[in-house]
Amino acid sequence: MSEKWCWLPDWAADLELWEDDLIAVDSSADHTFVPYEKMAGCLDHVYDLSGMKDASTVVGWGLGALVLLNNVAQRPKNQKWILLSPFADFCSEDGNWTEQNLQFMAHQTLSTIQPSLNAFMELYENEFGEWQDDWRKKAEKMNPQALCDGLSYLAKNRIEQSIPVDAETKVLYGRLDEAIKPEMTLSLKEFMPGAEFKERPKAGHWPPMLLL
């Protein structure tokens, strides 16, 4: 019986951009890439999404990782987690935005998404790989309300208490990540003492660089 993997994206991202690379992590498994807009509609009950409860491994990237951590009570027994560029607080002093200006960006997104996309593009411009433009093209077609909801979630939610690590949990982060700086990921250690943390010295924020 093949393994089942479920993938949760970061804000305004479409993991299918890297589908061929990502399924190589376990080419014999069945892979489900959750669209950003679907995840944005289930941020507080992500295990209602098709495939989540039955998955043997769930990968959460950025916002997707935070959503997983906040839904840990619904995690099935023995389900493996791989968290890519996770964080305890997106608006921490190590980050790029405060809660106030991120909420402003969220509200602004309802009328125009370009300023928010420009702000994130600035963080990705020095990344290895040639995916920045592909990411933006996908993001520009997304529902503004879904983009707003994701930014609001990042602004309001943080990890402030211990996360039970009852199954295999790997945390991967890039030394060169400017969107989620390593300090932001390492702040999770105090809340997840049973998780395995691993730095990718040559990686930034993009999933293929973190996983492969």
Side-chain angles (χ1 to χ4, degrees):
M1 188 175 186
S2 64
E3 296 284 297
K4 294 182 179 180
W5 287 53
C6 202
W7 301 72
L8 298 179
D10 199 357
W11 179 76
D14 184 349
L15 281 164
E16 288 186 348
L17 283 172
W18 303 282
E19 181 174 350
D20 290 343
D21 292 321
L22 297 180
I23 63 175
V25 177
D26 187 346
S27 58
S28 65
D30 293 328
H31 295 268
T32 299
F33 295 94
V34 177
Y36 170 77
E37 288 161 302
K38 279 194 175 181
M39 184 183 76
C42 296
L43 295 171
D44 293 321
H45 43 93
V46 72
Y47 275 95
D48 287 349
L49 289 169
S50 177
M52 282 291 294
K53 291 179 181 178
D54 296 330
S56 51
T57 299
V58 176
V59 182
W61 174 37
L63 172 60
L66 179 63
V67 170
L68 270 183
L69 293 171
N70 281 328
N71 283 267
V72 67
Q74 307 303 315
R75 181 183 188 179
K77 184 179 180 181
N78 299 323
Q79 185 181 76
K80 298 177 183 178
W81 278 4
I82 301 175
L83 308 179
L84 307 179
S85 299
F87 46 86
D89 182 359
F90 191 75
C91 298
S92 73
E93 60 183 15
D94 294 314
N96 298 290
W97 293 288
T98 65
E99 180 178 349
Q100 290 74 21
N101 59 32
L102 199 64
Q103 287 282 27
F104 173 79
M105 285 173 62
H107 179 74
Q108 185 183 46
T109 298
L110 295 176
S111 56
T112 174
I113 65 174
Q114 299 305 324
S116 296
L117 297 183
N118 290 342
F120 279 86
M121 280 290 286
E122 290 178 6
L123 301 176
Y124 300 149
E125 63 183 359
N126 294 321
E127 291 265 345
F128 291 116
E130 300 178 353
W131 300 303
Q132 292 86 334
D133 290 340
D134 291 336
W135 167 78
R136 181 166 188 142
K137 288 176 183 176
K138 290 281 189 178
E140 287 176 340
K141 297 177 182 178
M142 291 182 180
N143 184 294
Q145 185 64 60
L147 297 177
C148 173
D149 291 345
L151 289 177
S152 293
Y153 190 91
L154 288 171
K156 294 185 293 184
N157 287 271
R158 53 192 51 83
I159 304 302
E160 298 179 314
Q161 58 187 8
S162 179
I163 300 291
V165 181
D166 300 326
E168 182 178 327
T169 302
K170 294 182 179 180
V171 175
L172 306 178
Y173 62 99
R175 183 183 298 176
L176 306 179
D177 193 337
E178 290 296 325
I180 307 297
K181 297 176 182 179
E183 295 83 359
M184 296 172 67
T185 295
L186 292 173
S187 66
L188 277 172
K189 278 193 169 184
E190 66 174 295
F191 302 109
M192 302 174 64
E196 175 187 352
F197 283 71
K198 188 169 184 178
E199 181 186 74
R200 300 297 199 196
K202 298 182 180 180
H205 193 63
W206 303 122
M209 302 296 291
L210 292 166
L211 278 165
L212 304 176

